[in-house]
Every structure is written in structure tokens, then in C-alpha cells.
Amino acid sequence: MTPEELLKQYYGYDSFRKGQRELIGHILAGEDVLGIMPTGAGKSVCYQIPALLLPGLTIVISPLISLMQDQVTALRTNGVPAAFLNSSLDEDTYRRTLQQVFRGEIRILYAAPERLETQSFQTIAQEIPVSMVTVDEAHCVSQWGQDFRSSYLRILGFLQQLPRRPIISAFTATATREVADDIIRILGLQSPFSLTTGFDRTNLFFGVQQPRDKFRALTEIIRAHEGQSGIVYCLTRKLVEQITDDLREQGISATRYHAGLTDEERRQNQEDFIYDRTSVMVATNAFGMGIDKSDVRFVVHYNMPKNIESYYQEAGRAGRDGSPAECILLYGGRDVRTNQFMIENSTGNDLLDDETRLRIQQQDLERLKHMTFYCTRHECLRYYLLRYFGEDAPGYCGNCSTCRTNYEKRDISVEALKIVSCVYRLQQIGLQFGVNALADILVGSKAEKYQKFHLEGRLSTYGILSELTQKQCAEMIRFLINQMWLSKGGEYHAVLLNRRSAELLTERPVITMNVVKEEQPVPAGRRSVPEGLDETLYALLRETRKKIAAREGVPAYIVFTDTTLQDMCRKQPVQDMAFLSVQGVGQVKLEKYGTPFMKTIRQYQAEKA
Ligand code: ADP
Ligand code: ZN
């Protein structure tokens, strides 16, 4: 069979995604490969399909038990003979699996790196022809990676003991040059074919909101995603506790995860989330590594995280199945200070000398600054993210809050001049104000607190921007500070003149700013069910999936992903051939699940007619 035929037969997909076919081709030609692809891009297919075509066994080294289980369950549901060996198996199952491997009944064997050093594994490796060894999450070999695991360093030793050197393929989502070099060196890849696909995740909507009431904003997002899974990331354990309680009080099905809980509770809560027994997971950044749940429809950051790398990784847990999903960051100025505090007081690594520690701290503060820019600059968010990772992107994506809110470029030269003049006049009469008070004065506020200054008589610039709302005016002042036409300083954070202000007054440059067209916040949610989808049928199909998943004791997305259900909803197949044409339905799944889903569709059509 060809790779294309296997893709259809086992996975039910019609075509390969970017990069997949090339990587598969090079593996089949006997070359080592290094695939660098973002989460959700479809790395698994790249080694699973060659594994089915190569003559011997493929060993996949994977860092976490939960990841292995998930992958193996998914493969088996698709009819691929796969298994894993790890400490979660009881002795009996372990022995049975080994026997299957020896009889050549298993094509793909998953194991943690620690397993390679055990006696049983050594025996397998000596007696069974191993065609390929795949290292998943390969950044774990690198000291540069955050998830470094020392047993990864001994993989090469294991490979060298094998009677014949297998093909080695490595995959990761981490893109930095240092990590890639480490992977090649530490795993001993021989002139590998390396491929990096773009980092863009087109199905993700990126949004930043700066709400007055974060909790309310959060509940609105959750309600817009009724019945769907989502993760809420918080900076501290305490906040996780509080938000979980508050959500429950609102009748929202939520659970929690952080390093302060017992292993048992963490495991339980995580499982509840994966099996859709609770829809919202409130967590610190301790949650997520090894979570393969592909139908997470939204990730909300209740606080701004400490850098863009963490943000992209955490937000990227949304929409791995390729269907639309939302990543919303609820920004508040306090998040900056909390992060600063955490960086400055981090006791993280006692082994470092002071100089190194200081340098790392400086780097961390620098990265925090970029994260803050993400939240405060009015640029296309996707453009900002991709450029941060060194990728080219157009300045408009149409699928982020900046692009959606319809910012328009406006010439604000006149307003800028008026604002700076006002600061200048105030200074002449010995007064200084903060951003909000200054905006009040510019729009001509009659508030009591300004009466004592008798501004109306003394200040020619009082109320010269009365055509603006106070909020618009304050926004412009902030913009001018951000662009360094004005400064902020002193004990009361007053708006002050600087050298460039003088330039502005004398040279009168053209100043443009992206201003919000309407005061309309982007409605959250809706996009998670694509437009034009028959929502009634979709709900019925989800219900059917839920029943099957419960009966089989697997997570719903293992039966079918949301993307598959949506395609089914559009095609409404009632016969085998048509059912097979649905994205994500292969031969085995047709046989297993075709009947109940087609029954649901027939019933629906009959009732509608
Ligand atoms: P990664 O390991 O890169 O994060 P996965 O291998 O888990 O990603 O794949 C993510 C999702 O994309 C899975 O639901 C998978 O079935 C799906 N997928 C993979 N390849 C294709 C393809 N060629 N066409 C459609 N969907 C695909
Ligand atoms: Zn955009």
C-alpha cells in the first residue's frame, strides 16, 4: 500500500498536511529525519505510517505515560496493532504485551526512555528486527529545553547496542536552533533530513481583552462555549483555588490542577477533564504537558504569563484537532508586576552563580517585556507571535482580536498637538496630572475635584478635545507615551514633557494611531461552531459520540474528533461509501461506529422531513 492509501484506510484522511509526505518519504528511503512542527500539525502520522510500511518493529520513545496511552488507544481504534510498555501495566499485561511483540503482532511499540535500560527491552532489541526508533518530544534531550530528562541522554547507548542500526526519526515542537542541534548531536542522527513547518496555527483565534471585571469576562467566554472543553490558566495556586470555587458557584462544571494537590487528586481531576466529566480545567502552568486532548475549544489566560514561549505553548493546547478554537488572554496591568516579582524573587536554581543568575533574570525581564507588548500594542496578534518566533507573516490575519475589532489607522496629529500643548500649559502654571486626570481636563470635565484649580479661566487648553470621550482621549495619551512623545514620571506617575514633545510642538509631524472603529468588543465563542453548521444535528452527533465513548471507556475525541463530526454533519452520510468519505473515518471506524452515527442521521432526517 502507498502512504496515501494507508492515510485513508487507517486515519480516514484524504491528503497529507504540509511536511508530512516529505518526512515519510525520507524515512522510507532509509534516512534519519528531524521533524519540527507545531502542536497539532500532525507529527504522529509522520512516523506511524512509515512504521506500517517498514518490515520490522518501530519503537517510539515518548516521555509520558498519559501520552502513550492516548496514542495507543487512538491507533488501536483505527485498527493499527500498537502497544506500550510502561510502569502502569500490571505484570500479566506486561508479559502478554511482550509475547505479542515477540510474535511480531505489534508494529508500533511505545515506551518511556527509562524502559530502554530494562532487561526485557534489551532482549526485544536483540531478538526482534527493529526498523526504526522514533523519539517523540525530542526536545527532552536538550538541556535548553524546559522538560529535560536525563534518561534521554542514554538513548544513543541503547541504539549502539542494537545488532543493526535502525532509522532514527525525531520530532518536536520546539524550534530554537540550540535545541535542534542538541537533538542531532545527542541522538546521533546521521545527516538527517530536517524539516520545519511554519508555526502558524490557522484554526486558532487569538484575542487580548483588558476587562474591568476579569471574572465576568471569563464567565462570558465559558458560557459562549457551553458544553465544550476549555482550560483557564492562572499565575498562582491561590487564584486557581479561588476561580474554581467561584466558577462552581456560578453552576459551571470546573475542576482544578496545580502542584500543591496530591498526586491522586491531580490524576483524578485530569481524567475528569479528559473524559468530559468536567468541562473547564482551572490550572497553573503545571498542567498540560502530556495532555493530548484534541478537542479543547478554548484556552483562557486569566493572567498574562511570563513570556511568549510559555503563552504560545499553553494557548496551543486549544484546537489540536484543527477545528476552530479560541485563545484569549485577559490582561491586567497587575500581571506585569506579579510576573516581575516572581522573576526577581525566583529561587529556581541554587546551582547558579550570582552572575549567571543575574543574567538569566535580565533575560527573563526582557522576555516579559515582549509578552507585555503582545497585550498592549495594537498590532495583529498573529503577526506579532509569528515574528517573535522569527517567521514572516502579513500584518493582517483577520482572525485575532486586533484584526476583528477593526482598528482603523487615523491621523491624530491635531489631537496629539492639543494634548502636548495642554501638558505644556499646565506645566507653566505649575500643575501635573496623571493620564486619566489629564484626559478629564482635555475633554472638559466638570468634576468637583478640578474646581479648586480654576482651570476654566486659567487654561486655554481646557476642554479642547471635548469631541472625544474621556476613554478615547486617555487612550491617545497612552499611545503618545508609548511612542515616547510624552513621558510618565514622578511619584504620582504624572504625564511629563520630554525632548521629543518639544519636537512635536515645533515640527508638527504626522502621527497615526490604530483606533478602534466601534466600541464593540469581539463576541467570544460563536466561531467554535463553524458558520452554517446544522447545530441540532451536530448536537445529536455529539450525543451519539458521548454514549459510545462512555460505553468503550475512552475519551470522546478518540471516537471521532470535532472536525470529523462537523464534516459528518455537513455530508450527512447514510451509506457506507458516503460515511467513508467523511474526514477522519477509516475502514475500521466505519465498521465500528458507522451504524450508530448513520442511524442518528437517518432519524434526524426523517423527523425533519
Ligand atoms: P502533533 O503530535 O503534531 O501535536 P497529532 O499527530 O496529534 O499532532 O495530530 C493532530 C490532529 O491532526 C489529530 O487529530 C490528527 O488525527 C490530525 N491529522 C493528522 N494528519 C492529518 C491529515 N493529513 N489530515 C487531517 N487531519 C490530520
Ligand atoms: Zn490578526
Side-chain angles (χ1 to χ4, degrees):
M1 273 214 267
T2 64
E4 283 75 11
E5 283 163 355
L6 286 174
L7 184 70
K8 183 67 197 162
Q9 157 102 16
Y10 284 109
Y11 300 86
Y13 298 133
D14 292 324
S15 55
F16 282 108
R17 290 205 189 130
K18 211 167 131 194
Q20 288 178 328
R21 188 64 183 85
E22 286 95 313
L23 283 162
I24 292 171
H26 284 269
I27 292 176
L28 291 176
E31 294 171 46
D32 288 353
V33 304
L34 171 59
I36 303 174
M37 301 158 99
T39 310
K43 289 185 278 296
S44 323
V45 166
C46 300
Y47 58 84
Q48 289 168 355
I49 286 189
L52 291 169
L53 288 165
L54 293 167
L57 178 72
T58 289
I59 296 173
V60 182
I61 301 169
S62 172
L64 293 174
I65 292 179
S66 59
L67 268 183
M68 282 180 229
Q69 272 165 348
D70 213 70
Q71 291 270 358
V72 169
T73 315
L75 282 167
R76 289 221 187 116
T77 334
N78 280 331
V80 178
F84 57 80
L85 287 177
N86 62 37
S87 54
S88 76
L89 297 179
D90 58 57
E91 221 173 289
D92 227 32
T93 323
Y94 198 94
R95 201 159 3 95
R96 237 181 313 120
T97 308
L98 274 178
Q99 282 164 358
Q100 286 180 316
V101 174
F102 279 112
R103 286 199 300 266
E105 291 168 10
I106 300 292
R107 305 304 305 275
I108 308 181
L109 181 65
Y110 282 77
E114 290 79 6
R115 276 295 119 183
L116 302 181
E117 296 165 62
T118 61
Q119 187 53 50
S120 51
F121 226 90
Q122 306 276 343
T123 319
I124 294 180
Q126 295 304 320
E127 302 197 358
I128 301 282
V130 178
S131 290
M132 173 162 72
V133 170
T134 294
V135 183
D136 202 5
E137 312 286 345
H139 58 273
C140 294
V141 308
S142 171
Q143 312 260 11
W144 295 92
Q146 293 155 347
D147 321 313
F148 173 68
R149 288 260 287 278
S150 64
S151 53
Y152 270 85
L153 299 178
R154 293 188 284 278
I155 295 177
L156 186 57
F158 170 79
L159 292 170
Q160 283 164 345
Q161 286 172 28
L162 297 179
R164 239 189 88 218
R165 185 184 186 277
I167 299 165
I168 305 171
S169 54
F171 295 87
T172 178
T174 307
T176 66
R177 195 61 245 168
E178 293 94 335
V179 173
D181 288 345
D182 271 5
I183 294 174
I184 293 174
R185 187 172 49 80
I186 294 168
L187 294 177
L189 299 185
Q190 295 178 356
S191 27
F193 168 73
S194 297
L195 184 139
T196 309
T197 61
F199 265 69
D200 193 9
R201 302 272 312 276
T202 48
N203 63 316
L204 300 185
F205 170 87
F206 288 99
V208 173
Q209 294 180 12
Q210 194 171 349
R212 226 173 264 269
D213 183 346
K214 278 195 185 185
F215 187 71
R216 216 176 112 191
L218 174 64
T219 52
E220 273 168 21
I221 297 170
I222 294 175
R223 296 218 190 278
H225 288 276
E226 193 90 49
Q228 299 177 331
S229 299
I231 306 173
V232 179
Y233 278 109
C234 304
L235 267 184
T236 62
R237 296 176 191 183
K238 204 173 130 206
L239 195 58
V240 168
E241 296 288 334
Q242 188 197 322
I243 301 288
T244 313
D245 289 346
D246 292 353
L247 286 178
R248 285 182 180 155
E249 208 157 285
Q250 302 273 320
I252 289 167
S253 146
T255 187
R256 57 186 184 168
Y257 192 105
H258 60 69
L261 302 173
T262 61
D263 286 356
E264 174 52 24
E265 183 177 355
R266 279 208 303 258
R267 197 192 54 73
Q268 182 63 48
N269 294 352
Q270 176 170 320
E271 207 181 280
D272 285 346
F273 178 63
I274 289 175
Y275 284 84
D276 298 331
R277 292 189 286 259
T278 39
S279 32
V280 180
M281 171 58 89
V282 187
T284 59
N285 61 6
F287 177 76
M289 170 65 175
I291 304 300
D292 226 358
K293 189 172 171 56
S294 70
D295 59 354
V296 174
R297 293 271 70 89
F298 63 95
V299 171
V300 175
H301 278 76
Y302 203 81
N303 306 105
M304 180 181 79
K306 64 179 187 295
N307 57 46
I308 301 263
E309 285 87 347
S310 314
Y311 181 66
Y312 205 60
Q313 190 178 39
E314 287 157 16
R317 299 199 168 114
R320 295 181 62 147
D321 54 13
S323 280
E326 284 194 316
C327 311
I328 310 284
L329 198 160
L330 301 179
Y331 173 77
R334 266 178 66 182
D335 299 340
V336 183
R337 291 193 291 281
T338 313
N339 273 299
Q340 258 165 3
F341 181 84
M342 285 167 113
I343 291 170
E344 278 156 10
N345 293 281
S346 148
T347 51
N349 214 327
D350 294 336
L351 301 173
L352 299 177
D353 56 85
D354 284 352
E355 196 184 320
T356 316
R357 204 200 316 267
L358 207 67
R359 206 188 62 232
I360 292 178
Q361 213 175 72
Q362 283 310 317
Q363 268 170 20
D364 285 350
L365 288 172
E366 189 61 27
R367 295 205 286 175
L368 174 63
K369 210 159 82 189
H370 287 286
M371 186 72 244
T372 314
F373 287 158
Y374 175 79
C375 300
T376 51
R377 286 206 175 154
H378 300 288
E379 283 185 325
C380 168
L381 297 174
R382 178 168 270 102
Y383 170 73
Y384 188 85
L385 290 170
L386 292 177
R387 232 188 10 177
Y388 182 84
F389 292 114
E391 216 175 286
D392 257 348
Y396 177 90
C397 78
N399 194 24
C400 76
S401 56
T402 315
C403 292
R404 288 282 183 97
T405 336
N406 268 335
Y407 279 82
E408 58 183 0
K409 270 206 185 315
R410 242 181 67 196
D411 183 339
I412 60 152
S413 314
V414 176
E415 288 87 346
L417 197 63
K418 289 180 177 173
I419 292 169
V420 176
S421 310
C422 183
V423 180
Y424 179 69
R425 297 279 174 231
L426 281 169
Q427 189 177 308
Q428 281 185 327
I429 54 175
L431 292 174
Q432 291 178 353
F433 292 98
V435 173
N436 281 313
L438 180 63
D440 280 340
I441 292 165
L442 279 156
V443 302
S445 160
K446 300 270 184 283
E448 181 106 40
K449 59 185 166 184
Y450 303 118
Q451 301 293 329
K452 62 173 181 234
F453 299 114
H454 306 291
L455 294 172
E456 226 154 330
R458 291 160 75 203
L459 190 71
S460 56
T461 49
Y462 179 81
I464 46 167
L465 283 175
S466 57
E467 72 276 14
L468 297 181
T469 65
Q470 195 271 356
K471 202 172 153 204
Q472 285 170 329
C473 186
E475 187 74 359
M476 271 181 204
I477 299 168
R478 286 197 194 94
F479 172 79
L480 293 175
I481 294 169
N482 198 286
Q483 302 288 309
M484 293 185 299
W485 292 111
L486 285 169
S487 299
K488 213 162 78 169
E491 198 182 338
Y492 301 104
H493 298 291
V495 180
L496 304 171
L497 297 175
N498 61 27
R499 202 184 300 192
R500 285 192 85 196
S501 320
E503 195 185 313
L504 191 143
L505 290 174
T506 51
E507 295 180 17
R508 312 204 166 184
V510 175
I511 296 176
T512 51
M513 172 184 167
N514 283 320
V515 260
V516 189
K517 246 191 215 160
E518 305 138 83
E519 282 281 289
Q520 277 290 324
V522 195
R526 316 302 159 235
R527 284 170 303 277
S528 289
V529 176
E531 244 166 78
L533 201 72
D534 183 333
E535 291 194 30
T536 320
L537 177 59
Y538 188 51
L540 290 170
L541 293 173
R542 287 170 61 92
E543 203 45 48
T544 306
R545 176 177 69 175
K546 194 170 166 186
K547 280 191 202 133
I548 295 174
R551 199 179 61 216
E552 302 201 342
V554 296
Y557 62 88
I558 292 280
V559 176
F560 283 132
T561 63
D562 286 357
T563 316
T564 299
L565 281 202
Q566 284 161 18
D567 200 37
M568 197 181 297
C569 196
R570 269 182 227 109
K571 293 184 174 147
Q572 304 202 3
V574 290
Q575 279 164 344
D576 285 6
M577 276 314 281
F579 200 78
L580 262 181
S581 78
V582 172
Q583 282 283 309
V585 179
Q587 193 60 42
V588 173
K589 283 199 175 168
L590 164 69
E591 283 157 25
K592 263 193 181 151
Y593 308 131
T595 313
F597 282 100
M598 287 192 276
K599 191 170 151 210
T600 305
I601 295 169
R602 272 196 219 99
Q603 262 172 6
Y604 172 73
Q605 289 173 340
E607 276 162 27
K608 224 176 101 181

